[in-house]
Amino acid sequence: MAEASFTAGAGKAAVRLPDSLFPVDGFTSVHDPLHVRVLVLDDGRTRLALTVLDQTSVSDEQLARTREIVHRVGAVDPLDCLVVASHTFSAPHVLPPERAPQAERERNGRLARAVDAAVARATAEARRTLRPARTGFGRGSCRIAVQRDVATPHGWWLGADDAGPTDDGVGVVRIDGADGRPVAVLVNYAVQPSVMNGSTAREGGRQVTADLAGAACGRIEERYGDGTVALFLVGAAGDQAPYLTAVRTTVDDSATPRRTDAHEGGHLLAELLGERLADETVRVADRIRTTVPATPLRVVHDRVRVPAQVPPAGLHALHPSTRYAFTPDGTTEAPFVLARIGETVLAGVQAELNARTGSALKDASPFPATCVVTMVNGAAKYMADADAYDRITYGAMNSRYGRGAAETVVARIVEVLRSPGAV
């Protein structure tokens, strides 16, 4: 019997941000470059592209442009193109023209074109390097995240709770060429790449950085060399902060959050955490035995109706509270996408899920090799678990989804995964 067809190619391109672009969106310089990383897989019937942008989030307008570029350059059906934000908090937002401040509209346009150009270059490289491939999955454990919801005398707020729930699992997908060398390594972990969130340089202004996700991917790529591309897929990290951050937040006796900043010293923390994640990823990847998938590539799009609530007027309206009034607002739709790569399933949602939700989904999935990925094909803020509404956490307040939405999404995803032949 002839062996099944399965090819893979990967590309990486830096987003070129000239000095003349700054200041933009509060950023004044680049500490380390942002990248676009693209993986293209093809089984002869379906061509799947996974595109990871070093951005905080991706707007609907940018999603459409990115898919069009990957379609044009990589010959991938737009519906088979998954676009994921690495979720670094230290990248300028690419805004639709009408939403960009008037004074920055021209620079925002240049920023958008720089990201689009990197998408095109990375996609072209991925298509050019398509070759026979094999794939496999492994799982490890790494503690670089901490529960960020903490109890204060005035209600729950942002901080670090060592005893709080986390998901230390590291999901690793290794994709090899016929020579056994990695074409790409996917790392799925539940942490926000926000070590430098809100930090400024000592002379003022924020510095662009891919944060711990960029540090981890760079170290993995250095370890394997020969064109290997590492892609960070942010997991259910809505309530998961890096264990170490440049900015320390406390709440004083008047319930006012106070912040202290390590400034440039914070970049070392991002490097250290990124290295820890990378080292565990490499340890797991080195033990994975890759094979040609026996099942075809599959991409399934679906959506489920969930409870909605009125979101806050803005971040300025949020503070620790024991009496916050959640206001129901009917229902809304929550889209999700399931992508099957061999025995691995990527369960992707737009919303930021909490770690307990991600763990519940993986535990209930009939596929042991399930990765829960957030920030997929757009952004939708937080979708907290029911307990977060009881505690009145930041994520529950800062959401357009109501109590029970996360549980409803998990139930529907599991239902699809358990349907024979659905994935």
Side-chain angles (χ1 to χ4, degrees):
M1 180 181 295
E3 194 173 62
S5 170
F6 181 71
T7 58
K12 168 186 173 183
V15 179
R16 297 166 181 165
L17 303 179
D19 291 342
S20 61
L21 183 69
F22 299 98
V24 61
D25 197 23
F27 293 89
T28 56
S29 63
V30 175
H31 176 270
D32 55 274
L34 306 176
H35 287 89
V36 173
R37 292 172 168 90
V38 178
L39 170 66
V40 174
L41 304 172
D42 195 317
D43 66 359
R45 296 191 303 176
T46 299
R47 178 168 287 190
L48 164 66
L50 183 60
T51 302
V52 178
L53 311 177
D54 280 338
Q55 289 186 225
T56 307
S57 60
V58 177
S59 68
D60 290 342
E61 292 83 357
Q62 187 180 14
L63 172 64
R65 287 201 317 276
T66 301
R67 283 177 150 176
E68 189 282 325
I69 294 168
V70 175
H71 167 66
R72 171 171 48 84
V73 178
V76 179
D77 187 305
L79 288 178
D80 293 332
C81 176
L82 278 61
V83 180
V84 184
S86 72
H87 204 33
T88 171
F89 281 41
S90 295
H93 289 84
V94 178
L95 300 172
E98 66 277 7
R99 288 178 50 201
Q102 184 66 42
E104 293 190 356
R105 194 156 294 176
E106 186 273 338
R107 277 171 285 174
N108 181 74
R110 290 166 57 197
L111 171 65
R113 290 190 291 275
V115 176
D116 290 351
V119 171
R121 295 196 306 275
T123 304
E125 180 68 9
R127 184 176 184 180
R128 185 187 68 79
T129 58
L130 278 168
R131 67 267 206 190
R134 308 158 68 89
T135 185
F137 177 85
R139 196 177 293 282
S141 180
C142 184
R143 185 69 191 274
I144 65 167
V146 66
Q147 170 61 233
R148 72 174 190 171
D149 293 330
V150 298
T152 78
H154 310 283
W156 289 80
W157 197 242
L158 304 178
D161 179 7
D162 284 319
T166 60
D167 180 358
D168 295 339
V170 183
V172 180
V173 181
R174 175 170 173 157
I175 298 171
D176 288 346
D179 60 358
R181 301 189 65 83
V183 175
V185 176
L186 313 184
V187 51
N188 175 226
Y189 185 75
V191 68
Q192 295 177 341
S194 58
V195 173
M196 298 304 294
N197 181 33
S199 180
T200 62
R202 293 190 183 279
E203 296 182 356
R206 298 181 65 191
Q207 293 184 303
V208 171
T209 171
D211 211 278
L212 69 86
C217 289
R219 187 174 179 89
I220 294 166
E221 290 162 349
E222 290 174 2
R223 165 64 176 78
Y224 289 114
D226 293 332
T228 298
V229 175
L231 297 90
F232 177 77
L233 305 178
V234 61
D239 59 350
Q240 302 297 299
Y243 201 84
L244 301 170
T245 58
V247 175
R248 174 174 174 261
T249 302
T250 57
V251 178
D252 66 18
D253 291 340
S254 64
T256 302
R258 302 293 184 185
R259 295 154 67 88
T260 54
D261 191 349
H263 304 294
E264 285 87 342
H267 292 294
L268 176 60
L269 303 179
E271 289 289 335
L272 290 172
L273 296 183
E275 287 177 4
R276 287 191 63 185
L277 180 58
D279 289 348
E280 175 64 1
T281 300
V282 168
R283 184 191 71 82
V284 174
D286 282 347
R287 298 182 180 186
I288 293 174
R289 178 177 176 272
T290 58
T291 59
V292 176
T295 56
L297 292 168
R298 191 76 185 274
V299 181
V300 176
H301 293 269
D302 202 344
R303 57 188 60 238
V304 60
R305 189 155 288 279
V306 300
Q309 68 182 23
V310 177
L315 297 184
H316 64 277
L318 298 178
H319 54 81
S321 174
T322 59
R323 298 177 179 274
Y324 187 84
F326 294 104
T327 305
D329 191 26
T331 62
T332 188
E333 286 192 328
F336 63 88
V337 58
L338 305 173
R340 183 166 182 178
I341 305 169
E343 295 307 306
T344 302
V345 170
L346 306 181
V349 297
Q350 288 183 340
E352 298 177 59
L353 305 175
N354 283 357
R356 279 181 291 198
T357 303
S359 295
L361 200 165
K362 287 187 286 187
D363 289 344
S365 172
F367 295 88
T370 295
C371 294
V372 178
V373 189
T374 60
M375 310 298 296
V376 178
N377 291 343
K381 281 287 188 183
Y382 300 103
M383 183 184 283
D385 57 76
D387 183 60
Y389 288 85
D390 294 335
R391 290 177 291 143
I392 312 180
T393 67
Y394 176 86
M397 291 186 285
N398 189 17
S399 177
R400 63 185 178 88
Y401 298 108
R403 180 196 302 267
E407 291 75 15
T408 300
V409 168
V410 168
R412 177 56 185 160
I413 290 176
V414 172
E415 180 182 17
V416 175
L417 291 174
R418 290 178 175 172
S419 300
V423 178

